[in-house]
Amino acid sequence: MEIFMLLLGAALAATGVFLFGVYTVGPTERGVLTTFGRAQRLGAQLISEDPELGGLLSEAEKLRYDYPMIRVIKPGGPYFKWPWQQLIKVDMTIQTTDITWDPDITQESIESVTKDNLTVAITGQIRWRPCERNLYAYVFGVKSPQAHIMGYFISVLRDRIATFSGADANSSEQELVEFISINDLRKNVSTINQYMEQACKKTAARYGVELDAALITTIDPPNEVDEALASINTTSNNVAAEISQAKAEADQRLKMAEQAVLIAENQANAEAAPLRELFETLSQMYANGGRAALDSYLRNASLPLRKKASQTIINLNSDKV
């Protein structure tokens, strides 16, 4: 009887282990299996040896963020784990977080100081997701990955706002003359977003979080400064419009002058054309018939004029009329 109860208990225990040890991983999830709290490692490989993430870390950062590479359980199943093993499932979908989110305080915008010491309010969002190649950092390296990525993003953003100028975005000479940082920031929001996406790539190696996109939407100065900037912008736009109109009028006058010169040149060529033709005719006539032919031509050509003349002057020293 005792042996039967022992076998029955063993059978129930084996059935429980089998039932509670089988698990699956969803299509948007990844699994990390730990044994007595230790994740299954891929040998002795470290993140610094990863072909994609290793280059993102500097030598100083490798001393702090060189996490081990671990085995990641792909979606599917069923899989099996022992009772002394623990499964950690990670949601791999893209998360959207407002940049004003802070676990400790509630705020409507992020404040930052520009290059000309103007405090601006920034709003927007970031999209991020766990990095599958560095799940050790995401699961074990940081206590709150979302708080870490937000803190890192905000610090990089404030540094960028404090050093940004129109020259960074290849602005035109006219825009550089204005040199009002808030105007440069507002005109180059897309450039700042691109910079943030590039600058935050290393969060995948440091915190196991990939920044999918930075979506900064508004950069506003304080209200009293905004009114002054609006007045400056209006004046600047009016000056630019006046300059543009003056250039257009000057170009139109220059075009009219060029056309007048061209018309005068055409008229002069038209008046000179019969004289050139007559010169060619007389030259050819003189070359073929000599002085006699030329005198005969002049005598015949002068007959219509004589008919119109009221008096005729005869040179008595010559037989020519």
Side-chain angles (χ1 to χ4, degrees):
M1 186 63 181
E2 293 179 355
I3 296 176
F4 175 76
M5 295 300 293
L6 182 63
L7 293 176
L8 180 61
L12 291 175
T15 303
V17 169
F18 178 77
L19 292 178
F20 292 101
V22 176
Y23 66 92
T24 59
V25 178
T28 61
E29 296 175 333
R30 300 293 185 272
V32 177
L33 195 63
T34 63
T35 303
F36 296 114
R38 178 183 172 86
Q40 297 176 334
R41 288 164 166 73
L42 299 179
Q45 297 183 51
L46 300 174
I47 287 300
S48 59
E49 303 171 8
D50 186 274
E52 294 184 9
L53 303 182
L56 300 177
L57 295 175
S58 63
E59 293 301 323
E61 290 171 331
K62 288 178 182 178
L63 299 177
R64 183 176 181 182
Y65 301 106
D66 202 5
Y67 297 111
M69 299 181 67
I70 59 176
R71 172 176 171 256
V72 177
I73 301 174
K74 301 293 184 180
Y79 299 105
F80 178 77
K81 67 179 180 66
W82 294 105
W84 53 84
Q85 291 181 318
Q86 181 184 3
L87 175 67
I88 300 174
K89 292 185 178 180
V90 180
D91 183 7
M92 301 299 293
T93 56
I94 296 177
Q95 309 290 325
T96 300
T97 304
D98 198 292
I99 64 172
T100 60
W101 178 83
D102 191 294
D104 299 324
I105 60 174
T106 301
Q107 54 188 355
E108 295 181 354
S109 62
I110 295 294
E111 290 189 350
S112 181
V113 180
T114 64
K115 192 174 184 179
D116 50 358
N117 295 322
L118 179 66
T119 301
V120 295
I122 306 172
T123 60
Q125 297 174 329
I126 63 171
R127 293 203 310 246
W128 60 275
R129 62 183 172 187
C131 177
E132 184 175 342
R133 305 180 70 89
N134 193 15
L135 281 184
Y136 185 95
Y138 183 81
V139 177
F140 307 104
V142 293
K143 184 177 181 180
S144 176
Q146 186 175 0
H148 270 77
I149 185 64
M150 288 304 303
Y152 185 83
F153 180 86
I154 296 301
S155 63
V156 175
L157 176 62
R158 282 176 171 158
D159 177 73
R160 185 55 176 164
I161 294 296
T163 58
F164 188 87
S165 66
D168 299 332
N170 297 321
S171 299
S172 64
E173 184 177 354
Q174 181 179 351
E175 292 172 336
L176 289 177
V177 171
E178 295 177 3
F179 199 67
I180 302 173
S181 59
I182 183 63
N183 286 341
D184 295 333
L185 293 170
R186 283 176 162 175
K187 292 175 184 176
N188 298 286
V189 170
S190 60
T191 302
I192 296 175
N193 283 328
Q194 293 175 2
Y195 171 82
M196 295 303 299
E197 293 173 7
Q198 292 295 323
C200 293
K201 273 187 174 180
K202 62 171 49 182
T203 57
R206 294 178 57 155
Y207 310 125
V209 177
E210 286 183 289
L211 179 67
D212 182 68
L215 305 171
I216 297 172
T217 53
T218 59
I219 301 176
D220 294 326
N223 293 332
E224 59 274 16
V225 178
D226 198 19
E227 294 177 359
L229 289 174
S231 177
I232 294 174
N233 288 335
T234 301
T235 303
S236 178
N237 292 335
N238 291 336
V239 171
E242 293 291 340
I243 294 175
S244 178
Q245 184 177 359
K247 287 183 178 179
E249 292 178 357
D251 292 340
Q252 185 177 6
R253 290 181 180 180
L254 180 60
K255 191 68 176 180
M256 293 175 63
E258 291 176 352
Q259 292 178 350
V261 171
L262 183 60
I263 291 173
E265 184 177 355
N266 291 336
Q267 288 178 347
N269 289 332
E271 293 176 357
L275 297 178
R276 292 195 185 98
E277 184 177 357
L278 178 60
F279 172 76
E280 294 293 335
T281 302
L282 294 178
S283 299
Q284 185 175 6
M285 187 179 297
Y286 182 78
N288 295 331
R291 180 69 185 182
L294 188 60
D295 291 341
S296 176
Y297 173 80
L298 292 176
R299 185 167 54 251
N300 293 331
S302 63
L303 289 177
L305 297 176
R306 291 181 180 179
K307 291 180 180 179
K308 296 179 181 180
S310 59
Q311 295 180 350
T312 301
I313 299 175
I314 300 175
N315 187 359
L316 298 177
N317 297 327
S318 175
D319 56 352
K320 298 177 182 178
V321 179

